[in-house]
């Protein structure tokens, strides 16, 4: 090519570019001044197209950027600067919050308008320069002209000082925007009205701009500039708010205000700023209002958690639970207060029960009035009052459990962690009460004797379920079993149970809850009663030809099933001979023994008179000089204990008017002293059943007191039941309690030995700690073994050559000489 021709072409190209750029620049000015209605965008597109085709895309790209820079710095920024009032500048005192709000809104409107105008202009400019974006920017890895223009807006309008001529440190528009929005949000938090839509538009701008032209999603100006400042100022606000609420509000009000703040912040993120900030601002509120002060709120006197729990404040408790859940999955604060409150309420129940039991001890005194009050078969007697106190303890525990289970379901959303706290606290105070096993058994006894009369099947099931629930909490189930056997034996032998079917239902429920081993002996007691009924029937048929016979009903009890030691003191326990029966009774007794031994060989019958009853026909002669009932012979059928029958029959052989002393009666009958006292009180002290006369008359029975037949006894009833004083199932006294615990410890010793042998027979050799752990694990469903007792039993088994020690020096430590103590099975 001719050099002159090439130079000419280059000059023409430059002339053409400048011409076309002049047209484009003029058009851009029209677009930015909103006079674009007469422009031909098709012609403008062709001009830009030609420039790019002539390899001038880079110049065009830079010229457009320069145009935008000049426009924003020389036209837009001064407008914004004019809108900036001193009221919104940092460290400037303002007259009122309203003045600051109005000035801030004016600035935000101006910035919003500038942003929207810039977006509109750049959308139109992008249409004109579409070919440049597609070819030049893509080939040269340049941001699109729209992206570049957004970056220019960021740098010129937002990041540069609004008035650099005065101070290079003069706030930028971005800094001012952050300050204004945060000021407006604090006004909103304080209850003032703000323009939420306007703020949302400005936030939308920050979400659309990035720190760099690479437009990384994590570098939006909203995330890098506004949100950190917003969260920092929010922390300061809620720190002050927390202290203010803690000072001015009671606990329920504090919870309500905190919950309200959480809701407000969620609404604010949704309607005013950005939903992406919701988790972060919630964390701020949770840290400053909940985590920082929840314990203090819970401890507030007169309104805290204790007050809410005591007064069933379900809504407040539900709110506390919800807020606690935000900061702690385990709800530690709530769980600890719940546990402490339940245990404290339980201890109050325990103390009330002990105080009631102590207050209802059998009173001392003399005279007929005292005797009558002591012998009434009503709940006014001291023994029955103690039983009533025991049943009240159970009722109170059940009410406490129902109360807090209701709170757990209604306020705590049936939270499993809090259920564990509730269960442990109930178990703690129930097992801290030494009489819990006895009282629960008495509760069941009372219901199965009379409490279930007239109840529907559903109501019966409810009572049985309550009993099983309480049993679930009892740790010493072996002690409960001992009391239950004692009370069951009285119900079965005295025919006091409401329903045999309900009794069996109770046993079945216990089997499901505790296991078959727990109920084996109880089931054996029912089997004995069934077998005894058959035996009695067969014996009656055999004796049917004897017209003068005495009717005999016998319950033959298997000694390993029945609590014979607690069914009344036997002669062997008193150190004397068995009870001496009258000849007629002795004869029928011998007859039954012959009958029984004829059916069963290798067995021995031991008669337990303390649990028997008898129907005695008594004839009272007419009283000389008397008319009416007393003037004729009177016949009555007396239902008495077996011991009372033995005592009454002694007076058949005495002449009229003769008497016997207490000591003489005991010598003739060999009845244990305490049993004889109780029966003589029933026969000679209680006014309505005074078949004998006691001299001198008093409630107490002394060895020298004399007793004679009361020929003047009368009653309007043909059949008279003579109840034995304090003969009901009652709360044990201290001595009886110690005896029960001693027997139970003996039983536990045997169970521990059996468990050790069982484990060692299977394992052959075990370290000391492992053996302890397995023994405790195996026995804990029935009772918690005492570690020292386990160690003693290990030593005993070593002495009896069931085990031998391998290594170590003893059971008190882990071993000596660097070796742990271990044991090997030998037997």
């Amino acid at each position: 090519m001719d050099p002159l021709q090439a130079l000419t072409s280059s000059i023409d190209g430059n002339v053409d570019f400048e011409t076309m750029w002049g047209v484009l620049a003029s058009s851009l000015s029209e677009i930015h001044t909103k006079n674009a209605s007469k422009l031909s965008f098709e012609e403008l597109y062709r001009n830009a197209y030609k420039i790019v085709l002539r390899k001038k895309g880079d110049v065009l790209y830079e010229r457009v950027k320069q145009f935008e820079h000049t426009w924003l710095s020389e036209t837009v920024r001064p407008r914004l600067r004019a809108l900036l009032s001193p009221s919104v500048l940092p460290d400037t005192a303002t007259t009122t919050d309203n003045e600051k709000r109005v000035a801030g809104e004016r600035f935000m409107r101006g910035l919003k308008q500038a942003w929207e105008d810039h977006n509109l202009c750049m959308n139109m400019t992008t249409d004109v320069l579409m070919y440049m974006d597609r070819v030049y920017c893509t080939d040269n890895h340049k941001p699109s002209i729209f992206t570049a223009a957004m970056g220019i807006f960021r740098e010129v309008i937002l990041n540069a000082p609004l008035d650099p001529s005065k101070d290079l440190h003069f706030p930028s528009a971005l800094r001012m925007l952050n300050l204004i929005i945060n000021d407006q949000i604090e006004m909103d938090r304080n209850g003032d009205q703000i323009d939420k839509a306007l703020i949302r538009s400005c936030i939308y701008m920050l979400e659309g701009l990035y720190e760099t032209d690479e437009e990384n999603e994590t570098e939006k100006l909203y995330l890098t500039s506004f949100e950190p400042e917003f969260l920092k100022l929010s922390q300061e606000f809620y720190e002050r708010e927390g202290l203010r609420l803690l000072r001015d509000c009671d606990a329920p009000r504090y919870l309500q205000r905190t919950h309200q703040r959480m809701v407000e912040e969620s609404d604010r993120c949704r309607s005013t700023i950005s939903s992406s900030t919701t988790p972060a601002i919630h964390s701020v509120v949770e840290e400053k209002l909940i985590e920082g002060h929840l314990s203090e709120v819970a401890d507030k006197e007169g309104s805290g958690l204790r007050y809410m729990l005591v007064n069933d404040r379900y809504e407040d408790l539900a709110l506390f639970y919800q807020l606690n859940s935000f900061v702690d999955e385990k709800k530690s604060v709530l769980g600890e207060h719940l546990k402490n409150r339940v245990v404290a309420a339980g201890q109050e129940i325990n103390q009330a029960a002990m105080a009631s039991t102590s207050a209802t001890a059998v009173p001392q005194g003399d005279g007929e009035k005292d005797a009558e009050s002591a012998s009434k078969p009503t709940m006014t007697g001291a023994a029955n009052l103690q039983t009533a106190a025991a049943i009240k303890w159970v009722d109170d525990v059940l009410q406490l459990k129902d109360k807090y289970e209701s709170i757990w379901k209604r306020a705590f959303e049936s939270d499993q962690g809090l259920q564990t706290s509730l269960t442990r606290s109930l178990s703690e105070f129930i097992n801290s009460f030494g009489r819990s096993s006895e009282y629960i058994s008495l509760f069941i006894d009372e219901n199965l004797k009379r409490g279930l009369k007239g109840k529907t099947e559903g109501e019966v099931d409810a009572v049985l379920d309550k009993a099983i629930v309480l049993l679930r909490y009892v740790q010493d189930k072996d002690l409960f079993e001992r009391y239950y056997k004692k009370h069951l034996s009285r119900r079965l032998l005295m025919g006091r149970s409401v329903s045999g079917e309900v009794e069996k239902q109770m046993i079945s429920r216990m089997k499901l809850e505790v296991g078959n081993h727990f109920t084996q002996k109880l089931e054996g007691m029912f089997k004995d009663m069934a077998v005894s009924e058959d035996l009695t029937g067969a014996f009656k048929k055999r004796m049917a030809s004897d017209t003068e016979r005495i009717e005999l009903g016998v319950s033959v009890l298997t000694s390993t099933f029945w609590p014979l030691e607690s069914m009344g003191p036997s002669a062997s326990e008193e150190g004397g001979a068995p009870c001496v029966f009258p000849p007629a009774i002795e004869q029928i007794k011998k007859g039954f023994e012959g009958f029984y031994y004829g059916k069963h060989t290798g067995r021995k019958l031991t008669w337990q008179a303390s649990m028997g009853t008898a129907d005695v026909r008594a004839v009272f002669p007419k009283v000389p000089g008397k008319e009416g009932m007393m003037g004729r012979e009177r016949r009555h059928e007396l239902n008495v204990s077996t011991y009372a029958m033995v005592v009454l029959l002694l007076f058949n052989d005495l002449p009229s008017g003769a008497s016997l002393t207490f000591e003489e009666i005991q010598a003739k009958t060999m009845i244990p002293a305490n049993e004889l006292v109780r029966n003589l009180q029933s026969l000679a002290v209680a006014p309505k059943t005074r078949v004998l006369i006691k001299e001198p008359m008093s409630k107490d029975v002394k060895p020298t007191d004399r007793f004679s037949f009361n020929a003047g006894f009368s009653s309007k009833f043909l059949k008279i039941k003579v109840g034995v004083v304090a003969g009901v199932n009652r709360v044990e006294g201290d001595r009886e309690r110690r005896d029960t615990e001693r027997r139970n410890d003996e039983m536990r010793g045997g169970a521990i030995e059996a468990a050790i042998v069982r484990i060692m027979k299977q394992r052959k050799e075990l370290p000391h700690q492992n053996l302890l752990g397995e023994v405790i694990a195996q026995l804990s469903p029935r009772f918690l073994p005492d570690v020292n007792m386990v160690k003693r039993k290990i030593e005993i088994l070593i002495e009896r050559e069931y085990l031998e020690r391998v290594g170590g020096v003893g059971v008190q430590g882990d071993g000596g000489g660097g070796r742990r103590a271990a044991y090997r099975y030998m037997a």
Side-chain angles (χ1 to χ4, degrees), residues 404-422:
Y404 285 98
E405 279 198 345
S406 176
I407 291 174
W408 174 69
K409 291 176 182 177
R410 294 175 58 181
F412 300 156
E413 300 178 5
S414 300
D415 184 275
Q416 292 303 309
L418 293 179
Q419 183 188 38
T420 301
S421 294
L422 180 58

Side-chain angles (χ1 to χ4, degrees), residues 7-8 60 156 179 181 185 256 269 282 313 378 511 522 542 572 593 745:
L7 179 60
T8 303
L60 177 61
V156 174
L179 287 173
I181 293 177
I185 288 174
Q256 292 162 13
C269 289
H282 276 184
R313 300 292 294 268
T378 67
K511 182 185 291 188
L522 302 179
R542 177 176 174 177
S572 58
E593 288 176 350
D745 284 344

Side-chain angles (χ1 to χ4, degrees), residues 146-199:
F146 185 90
T147 301
M150 294 300 107
I152 294 169
F153 186 91
R154 176 190 68 233
E155 297 302 327
V156 174
I157 299 301
L158 295 182
N159 287 341
L162 281 172
D163 194 355
S165 63
K166 293 183 178 180
D167 185 355
L168 291 177
H169 299 291
F170 196 84
S172 65
L174 181 59
R175 172 65 177 152
M176 291 307 306
L177 180 63
N178 287 343
L179 287 173
I180 290 170
I181 293 177
N182 279 301
D183 279 344
Q184 300 269 322
I185 288 174
E186 183 161 349
M187 292 177 194
D188 185 34
R189 285 170 174 161
N190 291 328
D192 295 334
Q193 294 293 321
I194 62 172
D195 191 337
K196 296 181 180 180
L198 177 59
I199 297 175

Side-chain angles (χ1 to χ4, degrees), residues 55 64 300 687 754:
K55 306 300 182 183
V64 174
K300 271 186 171 286

Side-chain angles (χ1 to χ4, degrees), residues 771-790:
L771 178 57
L772 282 180
E774 290 201 27
V775 169
I776 292 172
Q778 195 172 106
L779 296 176
S780 57
R782 285 181 54 77
F783 63 93
L784 186 63
D786 178 66
V787 174
N788 291 326
M789 183 182 288
V790 177

Side-chain angles (χ1 to χ4, degrees), residues 334-389:
L334 182 55
E336 187 64 23
H337 278 77
L338 175 64
K339 178 178 180 294
N340 292 341
R341 179 55 207 151
V342 173
V343 170
Q347 295 297 354
E348 290 171 6
I349 293 173
N350 292 347
Q351 292 167 8
M354 291 306 296
S356 179
T357 301
S358 300
T360 54
V362 177
Q364 300 297 318
D366 293 325
E368 190 172 297
K369 183 176 180 181
D370 289 337
E372 181 178 355
S373 65
S375 60
K376 284 184 179 178
T378 67
M379 294 303 286
T380 58
N384 286 324
L385 286 175
Q386 290 181 337
T387 302

